[in-house]
Structures are given as structure tokens and as C-alpha cells.
Amino acid sequence: REDRGRSPQRDFHILFVPRRSLLCEQWLKEQGVLGSFIHREQYSLDLIPFDGDLLSMESESAFKECYLESDQTSLYHAAKGLMTLQALYGTIPQIFGKGDCARHVANMMIRMKREFPGSQNSVFPVFDTLLLLDRNVDLLTPLATQLTYEGLIDEIYGIQNTYVKLPPEKFAPKKQGEGGKDLPTEPKKLQLNSAEELYAEIRDKNFNAVGSVLSKKAKIISAAFEERHHAKTVGEIKQFVSQLPHMQAARSSLANHTSIAELIKDITTSEDFFDNLTVEQEFMSGIDTDKVNNYIEDCIAQKHPLIKILRLVCLQSVCNSGLKQKVLDHYKREILQTYGFEHILTLNNLEKAGLLKPQTGGRNNYPTIRKTLRLWMDDVNEQNPNDISYVYSGYAPLSVRLAQLLARPGWRSIEEVLKMLPGPHFEERQQLPTGLQKKRQHGENRVTLVFFLGGVTYAEIAALRFLSQMEDGGTEYVIATTKLINGTTWIKSLMEKLEPAPL
């Protein structure tokens, strides 16, 4: 269109993120516009820092590409991102991993290091260990409903690149004497990260422990505002005024989070949420996982959202190492007859990914895995937790348990269980140049980078942060991933959308 116009010519540039694509260039050539671009460049955006201890590639289809399409492009970008990280923060001496994708990434890193022998960097290493974990080693965790504050915000409203959009009614400024007129219609958009003091304090708590923190904060803030009545001298008044901006920011932050907590509470106190959670927890603790579940049948009959049904059926399948053929066929038939036969492709994808499968070999390994790794804790303390299982009110994320056991006492203690989980487990050592070996000071923590290939949930992040803060933990964790996910976005990425054929 620009060429046809008579206006002075403009220069066009095109940037591919994260890489140039031959297919794209071919298409532009066919359209006859490839020559119009003065620059054709690529910008390799590998790992994006989302918070002080969290990096993500935000590659939405990484899991589907790796496990359904056998496309390892995202693994190559993960390996490249890790090489960049090593160039900046020093070579990571130890690499541990579990799963096929983890093995691929480690192999690529070793090969890249061999191919660029000049890249021996002289940076003192920040990380002691890299742990690469495949998402399919732990398919269970993302399917369960997260019960931390941040996890629930993500489950209910969806956090997109640290932003959340919330219904505006709760955030309307209340003016006296005015009825509910002029209510805002635009959703309220808030940024959520640890730069906000209050959010950093409550984000990783179990939702049942958030209320008491908010009410304590409210008392502290109102007491601080009361101080102004006691300020007598000019100096005292001046001091109070200088603190005012900080206090007002704290007050508005408290108001926002109180509103969010109210919105979430409306949902978590509903009967449906409770019934759903009860069924999830029964499956995870091993109750009635091998027969058709009445609640799931009722939900299908009432045509609840399909993703909710798929999450529950997949959860049951994973907690039973697959479903009996009769049970699986019953669920499939019910789903297809209620939601439409186009979903047969989605069911096929879930089966390929190992989320929904027939039981083969007749043996259910899950009880052994659950017992050995202590995945289910009955006496969980949500207010003052002493174990990572608080993030799901009883279930300890398998992936985080693996990270915890790697730090102490090491994976040798769980060899048998590791063999039951999919994919190989391995250990690699990278030679450090002389003079860069770490001499550990007494009481200094080790730093482990945990890389989730295929996605990580906010509840798992909360569990790793909890381990970092443990007095006697001895290890600090930094988390990296291909994508921040929850059960809904994860299942959605595996669903096939069938478009009606154009007439």
C-alpha cells in the first residue's frame, strides 16, 4: 500500500522475536514485500526477569511442542538462555536433571560449550547447582487448584506478565450520599510483583492465612495516621509529612488487596469450589481413584466448563497411573456427547501428553511415589507452615519435593522412585577455571537454579521460596521456566480448536 501512495517514502524494518523464520520470509517474498524492508533482524529474547528470583521465557506452546509435536526448538532457546546466564553469572559447576527434555537441554549446553572453547568466562559463579526438570515428570501439580494467594488470583482471574485484570465494582471509590451510580466499567488493572511490600509479604501464603495479615496491617496503618494528632513541634510535624507518601501508598495497597481478597473469598467459600477441592484432595490422597467419580459425572450433566472437567479427569488418571479402559471410555463418551464430538482431538492430545491414559501393566505406582516422597501430609499448618504442602493444603508438589531432596540428602536416597517417574535422571559436572572454585564461608547458603521445562505454577514458586527462607535449609532457589502456567492455561494450550470449514 505504501508503494502505491505518492507520499514521501518511509523506511520499514522488521524484527523477529526470538529468531528469524525462513517460512515468514518466504511468505513475505511471495507477497512481494520482502525487498521493502531495509533491515531484517532477529532479537533473541530468551529469559525475561519477572521478579528478583523468577525468570520466564513466556513460550506459550513449549509443552505442546515438546510432548506432542516432538519439536525441540523451545529447548534450544532454553539452552541458549542458560548459556547467556552462565556468561553473565559464571559457569554452573553442577547440573542435575530429570526427564527427556532436561537431558536434551543439558546435552545442548555441553555441546555449545565445546563449540565455543574461547567462551571460558572468568566470572565467579553465582549458582552452585542447576536443576533441570521436565514438566511431564510431575503432571499432577498443575492440575490441582493452587491455594496460595497469588496462585488463586491466577486460577480465578489469570495473571498475564505480572498484570491482572479485576472486576471494577470492588474498586469504585465510595462517596457518601451517592447510590451506586457511575460505576466504572473498565476492568481494574493491577501490577503484581514484590516491589509492593504488602504483596511480597502475602503472595506466597496459603489464602486462609492472608486475612489475619491484612487486618494486622490495617491496624498498623491507622495507628500511623493517628500519630498526626500527637505531632506538636515543627520537627515532629515535618517528620510526619515526610512519611506521608509512603503511608498513603501503603494504605492504597492495603485497600487493593483487601478488595482482591474479598473477591477471592466469594469464590472459595462457594459450595462448588469446596466440592471440587474435596474431590481433588481425595484423588491426591489416593481415595477412590479407580472408578467413575459421581461429582465429575454430575458436573458433565450440568455442563460445567469443559476445562474444569478435563482437569479433574486428568488428575484422577495421573493419581491412578492411568484409568481402567472401561472408566476411561465412559468419561470420553460422556464428554463427547455433552460438549461435542470436535473435542475428540483434544482428548487425543491429552492422551499423547500422558495426562489421560489407559492403565497399562495393571500396576499403580502412584501410592509408592506418594509414600516415599511424602506427597500427602494430613496435619498441614496453613498459618505457620513447616512443610511445602501448605501451598495445596495437604499436597506437596512433587517437583519441589525432588528439588528439596536433591539438596538434602541427595537423589541416591530415592533411586527407586526416580526410576518410576518418566525420563532419565542424570548428573553432569562443568569444570571451573582454576581460582574460581567456591570456598564456602560458614553459614553461607548454596544457590540452586531450578529450570522447569514445560511450565511452572505460582504454587510451586511459593513452595521453593518457602524452602529458600527455611532457617536450616542451606539452599536458596532461583526459578526459571519456559512459561508461567496454571491448570486452565495448560490444558487450553493442549486443546485443538476446530474452525468450521468456510462455505
Side-chain angles (χ1 to χ4, degrees), residues 53-88:
D53 58 354
L54 178 61
L55 302 150
S56 172
M57 289 165 55
E58 286 306 283
S59 161
E60 309 227 344
S61 47
F63 183 83
K64 186 178 185 179
E65 285 168 10
C66 294
Y67 297 103
L68 294 185
E69 297 161 358
S70 303
D71 172 356
Q72 290 166 2
T73 317
S74 55
L75 299 183
Y76 168 72
H77 286 292
K80 257 184 63 192
L82 284 163
M83 293 308 281
T84 309
L85 211 63
Q86 289 194 115
L88 293 167

Side-chain angles (χ1 to χ4, degrees), residues 412-455:
R412 286 210 177 89
S413 59
I414 51 164
E415 265 319 312
E416 288 308 306
V417 168
L418 281 175
K419 284 180 191 144
M420 290 178 188
L421 298 168
H425 58 282
F426 60 89
E427 177 183 353
E428 296 283 352
R429 292 192 177 272
Q430 300 198 85
Q431 279 314 110
L432 288 177
T434 23
L436 289 182
Q437 276 86 353
K438 242 184 182 181
K439 300 272 187 292
R440 197 164 307 289
Q441 302 298 318
H442 178 66
E444 189 187 347
N445 282 345
R446 298 177 63 81
V447 182
T448 298
L449 174 66
V450 187
F451 201 125
F452 289 85
L453 299 159

Side-chain angles (χ1 to χ4, degrees), residues 139-159:
L139 292 169
L140 171 59
T141 303
L143 293 168
T145 304
Q146 309 171 66
L147 296 174
T148 57
Y149 180 60
E150 187 166 39
L152 275 165
I153 296 176
D154 190 38
E155 291 278 356
I156 298 165
Y157 297 106
I159 299 174

Side-chain angles (χ1 to χ4, degrees), residues 198 201 210-228 230 240 247 250-251 253-255 258:
L198 178 59
E201 189 179 335
V210 169
S212 56
V213 177
L214 290 177
S215 66
K216 218 180 278 167
K217 273 275 179 285
K219 283 181 189 140
I220 293 169
I221 288 171
S222 60
F225 273 100
E226 281 306 305
E227 288 284 296
R228 67 178 190 275
H230 306 300
F240 177 80
M247 282 158 60
R251 185 156 66 177
S253 161
L254 177 72
T258 308

Side-chain angles (χ1 to χ4, degrees), residues 17 29 48 74 87 91 129 143 169 178 190 206 209 244 286 308 356 372 387 395 405 429 486 496:
V17 182
K29 196 173 177 180
I48 309 156
S74 55
T91 304
T129 312
L143 293 168
E169 308 81 68
E178 288 184 25
L190 287 175
N206 183 296
L244 213 49
K308 173 186 171 177
L356 189 62
T372 315
D387 182 75
Y395 163 72
L405 290 166
R429 292 192 177 272
N486 60 41
E496 289 291 343

Side-chain angles (χ1 to χ4, degrees), residues 282-351:
E282 281 173 359
F283 288 157
M284 291 190 288
S285 54
I287 301 168
D288 290 343
T289 52
D290 56 349
K291 52 179 191 259
V292 172
N293 182 281
N294 292 339
Y295 174 72
I296 296 179
E297 274 195 311
D298 290 347
C299 287
I300 295 174
Q302 293 164 23
K303 215 165 175 184
H304 282 220
L306 175 61
I307 289 188
K308 173 186 171 177
I309 310 290
L310 293 175
R311 274 179 80 164
L312 284 169
V313 175
C314 291
L315 186 71
Q316 183 175 353
S317 168
V318 174
C319 292
N320 200 52
S321 305
L323 297 167
K324 287 183 189 146
Q325 196 64 53
K326 200 172 74 184
V327 176
L328 184 60
D329 290 344
H330 176 80
Y331 279 142
K332 281 184 174 177
R333 195 171 56 247
E334 291 288 307
I335 288 170
L336 294 178
Q337 286 176 352
T338 307
Y339 296 94
F341 284 88
E342 68 270 25
H343 295 295
I344 197 157
L345 295 173
T346 295
L347 293 175
N348 188 34
N349 282 353
L350 294 173
E351 209 162 316

Side-chain angles (χ1 to χ4, degrees), residues 8 192 201 225 269 274 278 302 350 355 371 376 430 462 498:
L192 302 173
E201 189 179 335
F225 273 100
T269 50
F274 179 75
T278 308
Q302 293 164 23
L350 294 173
L355 282 162
K371 224 195 215 121
W376 185 258
Q430 300 198 85
L498 277 188

Side-chain angles (χ1 to χ4, degrees), residues 18-130:
R19 65 193 175 280
R20 276 172 82 153
S21 140
L22 285 172
L23 271 174
C24 239
E25 294 193 347
Q26 185 63 36
W27 190 82
L28 292 168
K29 196 173 177 180
E30 283 165 20
Q31 301 300 314
V33 293
L34 190 63
S36 310
F37 293 106
I38 292 177
H39 275 112
R40 295 197 295 278
E41 302 290 338
Q42 60 182 18
Y43 180 67
S44 54
L45 184 68
D46 295 319
L47 287 163
I48 309 156
F50 270 44
D51 219 314
D53 58 354
L54 178 61
L55 302 150
S56 172
M57 289 165 55
E58 286 306 283
S59 161
E60 309 227 344
S61 47
F63 183 83
K64 186 178 185 179
E65 285 168 10
C66 294
Y67 297 103
L68 294 185
E69 297 161 358
S70 303
D71 172 356
Q72 290 166 2
T73 317
S74 55
L75 299 183
Y76 168 72
H77 286 292
K80 257 184 63 192
L82 284 163
M83 293 308 281
T84 309
L85 211 63
Q86 289 194 115
L88 293 167
Y89 298 106
T91 304
I92 304 172
Q94 280 182 308
I95 302 176
F96 289 91
K98 173 74 183 150
D100 290 316
C101 294
R103 184 66 271 185
H104 278 301
V105 171
N107 289 347
M108 282 193 260
M109 286 171 70
I110 291 161
R111 198 169 72 228
M112 286 173 188
K113 200 165 180 206
R114 249 203 331 265
E115 285 170 3
F116 303 108
S119 67
Q120 269 292 6
N121 60 9
S122 51
V123 182
F124 201 77
V126 170
F127 299 106
D128 298 273
T129 312
L130 165 66

